[in-house]
Amino acid sequence: AFFGIGILLLTTIQHSGVGNQSGLDQFLFGKAASMTQSDLIAYSSVAGVLLIITALFFKEFKILCFNPDFAKSAGLPIRSLNFILSTITVLAISIGIQSVGVVLMAALLITPAAAARSWTSNLLIMIVLAGLAGAFSGLVGSYISYTAPNMPTGPWIVMCLSLIAMLSLFFAPKRGVVARVLQQRKNRRKILSENLLKSFYHLSENQNFTIKEFKKEELLEKRRFTDSEFGSAIQTLKRKYFVIPKGSVFSLSDKGMEEAKRIVRLHRLWEMYLTERMRLKADHIHPNAETIEHIITPEIEELLLKELGYPEMDPHSSPIPYTQ
């Protein structure tokens, strides 16, 4: 809102006929192209001091930013550290105003960190990546402004930086939007295939494991799947050789039976843990176990087995299957 008011005032000054801009546009949008050698030396010197201060107080700043209560209990001078952190932030902004202006400086403060955050969870690596992104954007934006006629430097720097941030937000390997979507699809396929394996196991269990071949209708009676979900789950199980199609029936392979036992075992072990250790009623634990069974790692499974003493029956008196 204040920026909009400022633009209105600037426009009024430009067209009033009684005054001039008084350098307001350069303050708002920067004047990197007119920076002199003495400006560069001064700004580089200040930037070097800021980097040294950041390196010297890196551990204290990290604690202050992420856990101020712990920093206070550890006896750190909170007020002094806050003053130093605020001071170097103001100095950094003062340097950037000359190149991109006071408005676009907000982008230089936030965007490099946002881009770097998509690639790592390590604060030190994130700071380095943010610095590299800012430096690269400054070089590319300045080059574009230098080679193209009438192109402002500051906005091009921010545009390059924004492009890096957008690419990072979408295509970073773990935190990117594309990676998250692919992982969600992978998780959905995993859950569907494991639920279908459980249906095979429960039907076989009802037949004392004498039958391992079932029709689609029998499987759907045991657990509801849409046609697309059933097809996706069957394709996944076929690809892993857990299920072998035989005409209109599907046969559970020995490998598939072992995997089905593992999933059912995790489900029933978690139900045992909820009743034995969490003191929950047996008729309230099934939905929770339906969710947790898909994310229990072998390490957690071993801990559950030791904690519960390798139980033979679950809270519903169903046997807990073990592999040979």
Side-chain angles (χ1 to χ4, degrees), residues 65-81:
C65 292
F66 287 95
N67 199 334
D69 293 331
F70 174 75
K72 186 176 181 179
S73 64
L76 293 177
I78 302 299
R79 295 185 63 180
S80 299
L81 289 172

Side-chain angles (χ1 to χ4, degrees), residues 94-210:
S94 301
I95 297 174
I97 286 176
Q98 179 74 359
S99 59
V100 299
V102 67
V103 178
L104 297 179
M105 189 58 211
L108 287 188
L109 282 175
I110 298 170
T111 312
R117 183 68 179 90
S118 302
W119 296 91
T120 182
S121 296
N122 185 293
L123 180 62
L124 181 59
I125 296 176
M126 190 179 93
I127 291 174
V128 173
L129 290 177
L132 292 175
F136 178 78
S137 301
L139 290 172
V140 174
S142 300
Y143 180 76
I144 294 175
S145 176
Y146 173 75
T147 55
N150 299 321
M151 284 293 178
T153 306
W156 267 111
I157 292 174
V158 174
M159 286 296 295
C160 294
L161 191 55
S162 300
L163 179 61
I164 293 174
M166 292 299 295
L167 292 175
S168 300
L169 291 173
F170 275 94
F171 299 108
K174 291 183 179 180
R175 297 178 177 274
V177 173
V178 174
R180 288 201 300 267
V181 170
L182 293 177
Q183 185 62 44
Q184 288 171 357
R185 290 182 179 178
K186 181 180 178 181
N187 291 340
R188 282 198 295 268
R189 288 196 298 267
K190 178 177 182 291
I191 292 172
L192 286 173
S193 62
E194 290 184 350
N195 286 337
L196 187 56
L197 274 180
K198 283 171 56 182
S199 298
F200 274 101
Y201 184 88
H202 291 148
L203 289 173
S204 296
E205 188 177 37
N206 294 337
Q207 301 294 331
N208 295 319
F209 300 103
T210 56

